[in-house]
Structures are given as C-alpha cells and as structure tokens.
Amino acid sequence: MKLFIGEGNPHCVKVLAVLELTGVKCDVQLVNHEERVVPYLTRPVLPVLLLPDGQHLFSPNTICQYLYDVSGQKASEVCNQWLEWEATDLQPAVLQALHMMSLQGKQREAAAVIKETLGYLEQRLSKASTPFLTSDKISVADIVLWAALYPILSDSGFEAGDLRFVRGWFDGIGVLPACQAAAQKILHGKNPEVLKTFLQKLPTTQTQRRDVPTNSSPAEAEDTEHVMSVQEIEEAAQVWSTGLKDCPEVPQRKHPILPQKGKRNVLVTSALPYVNNVPHLGNIIGCVLSADVFARYGRLRGWNLLYVCGTDEYGTATENKAREEGLTPKEICDKYHDIHASVYKWFQIDFDFFGRTTTQRQTEIAQDIFWRLHERSFLLDDTVEQLRCENCQRFLADRFVEGVCPYCRYPEARGDQCDKCGRLINAVELRNPQCKTCKETPVIKSSKHLFLNLPKLEGELEKWLDQSTGSGDWTLNARQITRSWLRDGLKPRCITRDLQWGTPVPHPDYSEKVFYVWFDAPIGYLSITANYTDQWEKWWKNPQQVELYNFMAKDNVPFHSVVFPCSLLGAQDNYTLVNNLIATEYLNYEDTKFSKSRGVGVFGDMAKDTEIPSDVWRFYLLFIRPEAQDSAFSWADMALKNNSELLNNLGNFINRAGMFVSKFFEGLVPEMFLNDDDKRLIAQVCWELKQYIQLLNKVRIRDALKCILNISRHGNQYIQVNEPWKKIKGGDSDRQRAGTVTGVSVNVACLLSVLLEPYMPTVSQTIRTQLQAPPTCTAAMMTETGRFICTLPAGHRIGTVSPLFQKLENEQIEALRKRFGGQQSEEENDKGETPNTAAADTKPNAGVELNSPVNVKADPERAKQLNALLTEQADKVRALKAQKAEKSVIAEEVGKLLELKKQLALAEGKSPEPSNQKAKKK
C-alpha cells in the first residue's frame, strides 16, 4: 500500500497518526497539493491511500477505518456514530472556524462556532466512565476527532470557553508519540497560520453549510448552498441515468405487524394524549404529528415499523371532567376518545393502532409489573399526610382542592401548583383549603401509600442510560432533563392514589387505592399493543431485535426516561426500553398560551372548520416545530409560508414542470440530452436528497423539510435560467433544450412527491397521480443514502395537471386571527357587541378599510411580529432580484411586502397610505 499526504493538510494528520498506532506497513509519500494522485478525479485530493489491487481511498475517515480494520481492530457501532458526527457536524464547524481565524482574522466569531459545536462533545465526555470516547482503549474515533480539533485547540491563543472535559480528553490523546509525530510532520507546530495554503484552496461556502434556522430567509439559505465538486456532479449524473430497472415497490402493510429477523424492526409511540380535553396544535405537533412523520418515513425506507398510540384515560382529571359535565368517568372517556380519534384522522395521523388505557389488558399488565416489582423488593410503603373531605368521604387528589397560595396569597391556587406564581405546592400547605366538589373545609389525615424505590434502581438506570443515550438519538432537552433528575440523586416515588377511577392496586392492604397515573399511563403502550395483537411481547420483550422511539413534549421526559424505565428494569422481564427519546419544546399561540376556557388558540376539532386543508396545517406545524426552543403559531406567518413556500416555491415548480409536458409535448415526457447545467442540478438535488435522509434518520424533522423546499427552489431557478417557454418556439436545438429542461424538471417533481409523503400525504399522492408516477419510484429513490434517478423516462405519459395550493388571503387570515384570539371576543361581549363567532368574523378587517384615515388602536405585540415578517419578506425580495427572477414573480413578492408594511402601520396605530401612493420627495 502507498499513502500520499501533503503538508499543511489537517486531514493528513489523522491518517498518519492512525498508521503509526496500528502498525500497518505502508509506503508514505509526501506530494505537492497540486499533484493529481487519483487519475480519474478532475481535481487533486489528499490524503489518498493506494490499495494493492489498484483502488484508491481518498476519504480521510474511510482511510482511518480501513487501517484499523486491516490491523484487526474492528470499529464498534458507537465508534461509527462518532465518525459520522465528526464528518457532518464537527468538521464543517472546524473548517469554518479556521477560515475565520486564518483568512479573516475573526477570532471571537471562530470561538463561538466551535463552542456551539463542542457543547455536545463536552456533555458526552462529562458523563463518560472511560478515558476515551468508546472504551478504555483508544479507538479510531478518538484519533479522528483529536486530529480534527488539533489546529484549533493546540493554539494557545484560542479561547472557546469552559471545555474542561474536552480539554482533558484532547490533551490525553495529544501526548501519544504517534499523534505528536503526525502533527509535527504535517502542520509544523501549533500555529493555524500554516493552514493558509490548504484553506485558500477550499471554497468558503463549503465550510458554512450549517443548519439553517427556522426563521431564516431564502436569501440566508442561498448563502449556505453546498458547493458541488466535478466528481459529485458526474457520479450523480451516472446514477440518474440508471433509471428504475427492476426496483420493487414499498411493501404494503399486513396486520398484525410483528418483528422479523434480519429486518430493521422499529416501534414508534407518541406520549398518550390525556382524554379529558380536545388536543390543541401544541399537543398535536409535540407528539402524534412528529411521530407520524417519522413513521411514514420509516415505512418509505422499507423498515418493519409499528406505530401505536391511544388515549390516557385514568386519573384525577378524568374524574374532574366527569363531574363538570355530569357524566360518569367511563362516559367522559368514550366521548373524548372518539373526539381524539376524529381529530387525528383529519390530520392524517396514520397509526397502526389507536387504543386506550381503560382496558382489561391494561389492568393485567400493570398488575403483573407491580407484583414483579413487589417480589423483587423494589417497592416501599410510607405514610403520607393528605387532605380529606369528611362531607364527600374521600381523600382529595391535588386537583380536587383549592385554597390560598402560601407563597403569593393567590386565592385560587390548586393542590399541586399556584397558577399565579408558578410554585409547586403540597396540598396540605394551602391556607383556607376547600373541597372543589362541596366547598367544605377538608381535614389533614394520614394515608398509607406504596412507593417505587428509585434510589435502589439508580445504578442500573445509570448504566442503561449511558448505553441508550450513547448509541441512540436522544434530543438535547431529553438528555438535560434526565440528568437534572439524576444530579441530586433519585427519591422514592409514590405509585398509588386514593381515587376510584384507575387501575386497581391488587395488594390486599391497598385494595381501596388505584395506581398513580404516571406509573400506570406509560404501561398503556404495552396494553395498547396487546389489544392490537396477542403477540405483543414480540415487540415489548425483545430488546435485541426492536428499536423503540418515544415522541413527546419535554414535560413528559422524566416519566419516560426515569420512572417508566425503572419500573421495567425492576420488573426484570427483558422489557424493550427506549433507544431514542425525541422531545419537543413548547408551541405557543401568538405569543401566549393555548386556553380552551378563554377561547385562545386553535384546537384540533376547530382546524377543520377553517377550510384550510389538513396538509397545509401539517406543513406549517412541522415548519415551526419547536425542536431546539419554544416556537409560536402565527396566523400571519402561516399565510406567508403558505403563499411563499407552498404556493410560489413548491407548487409553482411542480405545476410548471407538469404543465410544460402537457402544453409543449402533448403529455409525453420528452427526450433528455444532459449538458453540464442539467447535471449540476441533478447533483444539487441528489445532495439535498441525501441530506433529507440523514436528517430524518436523526429525527430532525423540521430541518429535513427545508431540504424539500431547497430542491424546489433549485428547480424554479433552473427553469428561470433556461426559459423553456421561449426555447420551445425556436429552432431544433432550442426545442431539444426545452425538452431536456422539461423532462429533468418533471423528474425532480416526481422525487418531491416521494419526499413530501411523510409531511403532506394528500399532496404527495396528488402529485403522483398527476404525473402517473410508477409505484416503484419510492423504493428506488429512498434506498440507503438516497438515489435520484430518472423515474419518468422519455415517452412516459403524465395525467392531468392542476394547481396544488391556494393562496391564503389577508382578509381570511385576519378573520381567523380574531376568531381564535379569545381576548377580542371577551372585550366585544363586555360592550354588548356581537360575539366573535365564525359568522361575525367574515367581515374583512372587522369593518376597517385598510386605506381609510381612521385612528386605530396600537397593538405592540402584533407590530413586533409583523416587523419580523417584514424583514423576512424583504430578504426574499432581495434574493429574487439577485437571482434575476421573472418580473411577475418579483412584483408579486413586492406586493406582499407592501401589504405587510400596511399591516405594520395599523399595528403601530398609524394610518397606512394606499399601496399606490408614492411618497412625496422633499
């Protein structure tokens, strides 16, 4: 073997260090950076490993892995995950930071980039029990990450904040003679200045492809485009030309779905929605919709996947709701279970089974787990002081008692929390407590309860958590919340309640009690699966073959990462535990909270009445999905995203591609003769497809959606530049060019129909129907890392093409905003005016003409929101002008910009000028 390296290239440090550590015999040759070692590449690349059979390896990480494999040291799965993280997250950040430091002199900005990325590594190292990334022995991952960071962290003048664990690990690797020798040979010391020659040969934008924020503008997205290499372009064109061949279809589901040997068996759950109310948009995106997207994606990939959910029906809140509505708890559960099922059906949530927890199977499984915990001495009993209403002859659960808050003196504090100051309360601490049912004053009495002995299970839980979080995909907030529970040591947790509505405790000493809902509810996943198939244990007692994904909002994390796992670990019955815990932050409504009682926000049963299609609701909720921080639903933003991203970007491209085939080529896909521009587009689309798959594999649902929009944005630009509507009128060569552009575009549209399926299933099916897409196209393009191929060859006949989306008008959106605003209707009712019903809301702008010179009450919150939208729209207009888009397209976006300015003026209490009125020059 022969290894070719070059000076000043940090990637060469990796392979030299690994070569020395593994002891593999290899001839090392130092070459000039301009020398093209690999003959079939159009550009010089280093490092390169020439194998004995004449093949070349020129990916640094692949070379490192190969050398380790040859030496007999096989990389573990955890090791491979670290290598993937280095390639996708760390390496781009390091190169960007080096550009800033060496070529731009921006030390502070470079430090910020590195600090942000290394936060993840710091966290992982802080809880590691070994000196290296994967074990007590140094691995290829340690060398690769160390070498990537060497040019940054070895610079004494570089400060990236407190990275104590990263620094300790880095220094420990750096003292190895092999690492020191490799760094000295390639970088000649510790100054990143030596990297200038290497960095100057890299396009700056290549190192800046970062996750684009949710609220970023198209212009910002354009600034971060991936730079295509000649090799990537040629490879993508070759894959495209292979066509469908003998590709199978995605297999149809056959129930019951059971784990299969040799397949990827994925079990998906959503946190069970509580049955006592209608779910609002935040509930829907936090649990069921996010899980549905991932489940649909998994099925497209051919995974053997089961998605179960159901309503959580026991507990205090159900009893409360039953009393409010004059029904029995069973009647309340039946009523709201049907409402939930109807809401999710309208939102196209494709469960394999949607069940409930008030079943005999729930009782059997919960009681079995209880007895196993009891027999293994993982339960404790203790006496708890509680409030008891002698008039009602029962102990009062937290939600059945109100009183004066002991902290802020709020008179309507609940027995568990004060809504005014937010403090947690023990019910016996309330001053002047009252039973909510009869208003009598309760007395304090003792009650004996059972506790899960979490401290006794803590060691086993820690061991499992290290393995699960190390090998699975846990969101950052899930990791942080779990660690915060463990930081100060676990405490025993009560698992029983003095209620009637719940799973009975089978122990004779506690026969009048039921299980506390947070012990009982997660067991609902098991019982719901058991009601789906009597072979449920093949899913839930099969951790060797099953991957479990839990989806939830962040408030549910500790019960899924600590309490429920401890129950299953203590039961010692080979239960399947969560491998991937996916938690969202909170979704607010127009900068406030959803409130059914105040009429604030959109709830699931109301969305249908807006006449906005469920696919549009799905799109917008997923576009603003609160993945890393809280986000807010906004009517104005929903309209903007619908009109710009769906109508003008995605829908515009797909409709134009199909219409060109129908109008210019009689419905038959024309022949395609690819030139460099066509191949470049194909390569760009292929790259976005691979990003889409990588992101969804990691359950980064919102970011993957941006890949779809990027593809259609590339497609629109491609059509604009090539102008097939003009070339079709020219000579033979022009007509041929129009045919190629049309054929490539309609094939991109076909790919988009596949990628949209998890997000917008009805739109996806509509596109495929319009294009008469072959059923095998999905499986063909979604294999492994993704393959963009020509699925609609020349001569393929498409169907009837029609627009996919409708514009959301300002009057329509303003009416909806008022209808669901809550506060507006209360003010109107106070004045004796018409309540804010759907009929009342049909008046545009509540009777105020936009251009009329009237005094309008200022709305600072609305103005703040519109300011942000105005900035985003202005960025979009600038981007379109820079791209030299069609004048009609620019004019439409400018019209939206002017409309936003008028709305902003109204929100600021000003009288807006008519849109056609020009400002007078001074």
Side-chain angles (χ1 to χ4, degrees):
M1 291 190 296
K2 182 178 288 189
L3 177 65
F4 299 91
I5 58 174
E7 289 186 347
N9 184 335
H11 296 310
C12 294
V13 177
K14 300 176 184 178
V15 296
L16 270 186
V18 168
L19 185 65
E20 181 67 26
L21 283 170
T22 57
V24 175
K25 293 189 180 297
C26 185
D27 179 22
V28 179
Q29 187 171 333
L30 191 67
V31 298
N32 189 289
H33 284 287
E34 303 298 330
E35 188 173 339
R36 191 152 55 94
V37 177
V38 186
Y40 53 82
L41 292 183
T42 57
R43 71 193 196 288
V45 170
L46 291 174
V48 172
L49 182 64
L50 177 60
L51 303 181
D53 61 1
Q55 294 189 42
H56 296 84
L57 297 180
F58 43 87
S59 162
N61 289 9
T62 302
I63 294 172
C64 291
Q65 280 186 290
Y66 177 81
L67 293 173
Y68 258 82
D69 288 345
V70 169
S71 70
Q73 303 176 55
K74 203 73 175 174
S76 65
E77 182 59 31
V78 177
C79 183
N80 289 333
Q81 288 170 1
W82 275 118
L83 292 174
E84 181 182 352
W85 180 78
E86 189 272 346
T88 58
D89 290 72
L90 180 61
Q91 200 177 113
V94 167
L95 289 176
Q96 183 179 359
L98 288 172
H99 261 284
M100 290 176 170
M101 292 166 59
S102 299
L103 305 182
Q104 301 169 18
K106 297 179 179 179
Q107 292 280 343
R108 185 177 300 175
E109 292 87 342
V113 169
I114 288 299
K115 185 176 182 180
E116 179 187 350
T117 305
L118 289 187
Y120 173 69
L121 181 59
E122 176 76 5
Q123 184 193 32
R124 290 289 297 270
L125 289 170
S126 68
K127 61 185 182 184
S129 57
T130 61
F132 302 114
L133 290 175
T134 59
S135 66
D136 289 321
K137 187 178 179 182
I138 194 167
S139 71
V140 63
D142 290 290
I143 298 297
V144 167
L145 267 69
W146 171 85
L149 288 169
Y150 181 83
I152 295 278
L153 297 187
S154 61
D155 182 5
S156 59
F158 185 81
E159 278 296 332
D162 182 20
L163 296 170
R164 181 164 59 93
F165 291 98
V166 171
R167 292 278 185 185
W169 163 83
F170 177 81
D171 292 342
I173 306 293
V175 297
L176 296 173
C179 295
Q180 291 182 340
Q184 185 61 35
K185 184 166 186 177
I186 300 299
L187 301 180
H188 301 299
K190 301 181 178 181
N191 192 335
E193 289 293 311
V194 302
L195 298 171
K196 275 191 175 180
T197 304
F198 168 74
L199 293 169
Q200 284 167 345
K201 296 182 185 301
L202 297 177
T204 305
T205 50
Q206 188 174 350
T207 67
Q208 293 179 330
R209 177 66 190 227
R210 305 296 303 261
D211 295 332
V212 181
T214 303
N215 60 352
S216 64
S217 68
E220 289 172 314
E222 195 68 26
D223 287 342
T224 58
E225 289 303 336
H226 176 68
V227 176
M228 307 303 305
S229 69
V230 175
Q231 184 186 356
E232 281 179 284
I233 293 171
E234 288 302 322
E235 286 177 354
Q238 283 185 355
V239 170
W240 151 275
S241 64
T242 59
L244 278 173
K245 293 187 178 178
D246 300 321
C247 295
E249 293 184 40
V250 173
Q252 296 295 311
R253 278 181 282 174
K254 294 180 181 178
H255 296 287
I257 301 166
L258 298 173
Q260 300 175 28
K261 285 186 177 180
K263 281 223 164 193
R264 184 175 183 185
N265 301 301
V266 177
L267 178 58
V268 176
T269 71
S270 297
L272 305 182
Y274 205 76
V275 79
N276 74 317
N277 217 326
V278 181
H280 57 63
L281 298 181
N283 304 139
I284 290 167
I285 186 59
C287 302
V288 296
L289 179 53
S290 295
D292 180 65
V293 171
F294 185 73
R296 287 175 178 273
Y297 167 72
R299 295 178 190 126
L300 289 183
R301 298 296 309 279
W303 301 345
N304 187 48
L305 184 145
L306 178 69
Y307 177 23
V308 295
C309 189
T311 42
D312 174 11
E313 300 187 350
Y314 282 131
T316 311
T318 304
E319 286 192 12
N320 250 348
K321 194 70 173 179
R323 290 174 186 275
E324 285 176 15
E325 298 195 14
L327 300 172
T328 66
K330 177 68 168 63
E331 289 170 336
I332 279 290
C333 291
D334 291 344
K335 172 185 174 180
Y336 282 96
H337 174 83
D338 290 343
I339 290 173
H340 276 262
S342 175
V343 166
Y344 302 140
K345 182 178 180 181
W346 187 80
F347 273 95
Q348 303 177 76
I349 310 299
D350 193 11
F351 305 112
D352 289 301
F353 187 74
F354 185 72
R356 55 201 305 183
T357 57
T358 51
T359 65
Q360 181 58 33
R361 296 297 267 156
Q362 173 75 8
T363 301
E364 294 167 1
I365 296 171
Q367 290 183 349
D368 176 66
I369 291 173
F370 164 80
W371 279 122
R372 295 184 70 87
L373 290 167
H374 186 273
E375 290 162 3
R376 287 156 181 77
S377 302
F378 288 122
L379 298 181
L380 304 169
D381 54 18
D382 200 358
T383 301
V384 178
E385 286 190 334
Q386 291 180 268
L387 293 176
R388 179 178 171 83
C389 179
E390 297 296 348
N391 185 51
C392 296
Q393 286 294 297
R394 62 176 184 156
F395 284 98
L396 298 179
D398 299 337
R399 291 172 180 263
F400 280 100
V401 60
E402 284 185 349
V404 177
C405 174
Y407 302 103
C408 71
R409 300 185 181 279
Y410 178 61
E412 297 177 12
R414 298 197 314 266
D416 58 350
Q417 185 175 3
C418 173
D419 284 339
K420 184 176 181 182
C421 69
R423 298 283 288 272
L424 296 178
I425 299 172
N426 188 331
V428 296
E429 298 173 338
L430 288 172
R431 297 174 184 176
N432 304 324
Q434 279 189 336
C435 170
K436 282 190 70 174
T437 305
C438 68
K439 305 303 180 184
E440 292 292 322
T441 301
V443 297
I444 297 177
K445 285 200 171 182
S446 297
S447 178
K448 194 176 180 183
H449 284 277
L450 283 164
F451 290 73
L452 180 61
N453 192 348
L454 293 179
K456 190 173 181 179
L457 288 157
E458 188 168 351
E460 194 170 351
L461 177 72
E462 284 266 21
K463 183 179 177 182
W464 165 73
L465 276 171
D466 285 343
Q467 184 274 326
S468 182
T469 58
S471 60
D473 286 315
W474 286 50
T475 52
L476 183 60
N477 57 359
R479 297 168 188 268
Q480 291 172 337
I481 292 168
T482 303
R483 285 295 157 192
S484 70
W485 268 56
L486 292 166
R487 191 176 300 126
D488 301 321
L490 298 178
K491 310 289 188 297
R493 189 164 186 88
C494 189
I495 65 167
T496 55
R497 282 292 187 269
D498 289 299
L499 297 172
Q500 295 176 331
W501 185 246
T503 302
V505 179
H507 196 289
D509 295 346
Y510 299 89
S511 57
E512 295 184 357
K513 300 183 189 296
V514 299
F515 288 127
Y516 174 41
V517 68
W518 271 116
F519 172 78
D520 186 59
I523 297 173
Y525 299 132
L526 283 63
S527 70
I528 287 168
T529 311
N531 280 299
Y532 165 69
T533 172
D534 57 6
Q535 301 179 70
W536 65 276
E537 291 184 350
K538 290 185 177 180
W539 283 108
W540 284 103
K541 295 185 180 182
N542 191 3
Q544 292 77 26
Q545 286 189 312
V546 173
E547 297 175 63
L548 173 58
Y549 285 79
N550 286 163
F551 287 80
M552 68 201 67
K554 63 182 177 183
D555 56 336
N556 285 338
V557 166
F559 304 102
H560 289 79
S561 65
V562 176
V563 180
F564 185 43
C566 278
S567 300
L568 299 183
L569 288 168
Q572 296 177 359
D573 203 15
N574 195 40
Y575 278 108
T576 302
L577 300 178
V578 62
N579 309 95
N580 310 274
L581 202 156
I582 314 301
T584 61
E585 300 291 315
Y586 294 137
L587 178 72
N588 294 317
Y589 178 80
E590 299 270 9
D591 297 326
T592 187
K593 292 183 178 180
F594 289 85
S595 172
K596 189 78 170 179
S597 61
R598 293 189 293 116
V600 175
V602 182
F603 286 72
D605 55 349
M606 303 171 180
K608 185 177 181 180
D609 298 334
T610 64
E611 298 184 359
I612 296 174
S614 65
D615 266 15
V616 175
W617 281 104
R618 286 174 64 105
F619 166 80
Y620 182 63
L621 289 174
L622 292 161
F623 193 97
I624 61 169
R625 183 174 183 260
E627 291 188 358
Q629 60 187 13
D630 292 355
S631 61
F633 173 89
S634 158
W635 283 108
D637 187 50
M638 183 181 188
L640 187 63
K641 295 298 186 293
N642 176 83
N643 297 343
S644 60
E645 293 294 358
L646 291 184
L647 188 64
N648 294 338
N649 176 16
L650 184 67
N652 180 54
F653 170 71
I654 293 171
N655 188 250
R656 290 170 91 188
M659 288 300 296
F660 290 158
V661 176
S662 299
K663 184 177 179 180
F664 300 150
F665 301 98
E666 300 179 343
L668 296 175
V669 176
E671 284 194 85
M672 291 160 272
F673 303 91
L674 303 183
N675 67 15
D676 289 344
D677 287 343
D678 307 320
K679 292 177 181 179
R680 185 173 294 105
L681 172 73
I682 290 168
Q684 287 173 326
V685 170
C686 186
W687 191 84
E688 293 289 354
L689 167 60
K690 291 179 185 296
Q691 293 296 303
Y692 170 93
I693 288 176
Q694 286 182 21
L695 289 166
L696 278 182
N697 283 346
K698 295 290 185 183
V699 207
R700 289 167 62 179
I701 293 170
R702 184 192 63 199
D703 293 333
L705 177 57
K706 305 300 172 61
C707 295
I708 297 175
L709 301 175
N710 286 342
I711 289 174
S712 58
R713 197 169 285 119
H714 285 311
N716 275 315
Q717 191 171 1
Y718 171 73
I719 288 176
Q720 284 304 123
V721 169
N722 286 281
E723 300 179 325
W725 62 92
K726 290 183 180 179
K727 288 186 169 56
I728 196 67
K729 301 172 184 177
D732 290 344
S733 63
D734 278 350
R735 287 182 60 82
Q736 185 184 90
R737 183 73 194 134
T740 297
V741 173
T742 299
V744 171
S745 296
V746 82
N747 271 280
V748 174
C750 186
L751 170 66
L752 287 170
S753 75
V754 173
L755 303 188
L756 279 168
E757 202 283 334
Y759 294 89
M760 306 178 78
T762 298
V763 168
S764 168
Q765 186 55 54
T766 300
I767 299 168
R768 274 183 272 185
T769 299
Q770 290 185 5
L771 300 181
Q772 295 293 301
T776 56
C777 69
T778 298
M781 292 193 283
M782 294 297 287
T783 56
E784 298 180 13
T785 60
R787 298 169 68 246
F788 177 38
I789 55 179
C790 180
T791 54
L792 307 180
H796 173 86
R797 179 171 293 281
I798 69 168
T800 303
V801 178
S802 59
L804 297 169
F805 305 107
Q806 290 186 333
K807 184 178 181 180
L808 292 178
E809 301 292 349
N810 291 332
E811 293 81 3
Q812 176 189 3
I813 289 300
E814 188 62 22
L816 289 169
R817 190 173 75 86
K818 291 178 180 177
R819 174 181 168 188
F820 295 104
Q823 193 63 38
Q824 177 83 15
S825 61
E826 289 173 16
E827 291 173 0
E828 289 173 347
N829 286 333
D830 288 342
K831 297 174 185 176
E833 297 176 1
T834 307
N836 205 9
T837 61
D841 282 339
T842 57
K843 298 177 182 179
N845 301 305
V848 178
E849 292 294 331
L850 275 178
N851 297 327
S852 61
V854 295
N855 292 322
V856 185
K857 186 178 179 182
D859 185 347
E861 287 300 317
R862 173 78 170 149
K864 180 181 176 183
Q865 191 178 79
L866 285 166
N867 252 317
L869 294 175
L870 193 65
T871 301
E872 184 173 346
Q873 185 65 12
D875 288 342
K876 183 169 186 179
V877 170
R878 281 193 290 271
L880 287 170
K881 288 180 178 179
Q883 296 166 12
K884 297 184 178 179
E886 280 186 340
K887 289 183 180 179
S888 60
V889 175
I890 295 175
E892 186 173 355
E893 296 304 324
V894 169
K896 294 176 190 174
L897 184 66
L898 295 174
E899 183 61 38
L900 281 170
K901 286 182 177 179
K902 289 193 289 184
Q903 292 183 32
L904 177 60
L906 282 171
E908 291 174 340
K910 302 173 184 176
S911 176
E913 295 179 343
S915 58
N916 59 355
Q917 180 178 331
K918 295 183 180 179
K920 294 180 181 179
K921 293 183 180 179
K922 292 184 179 180

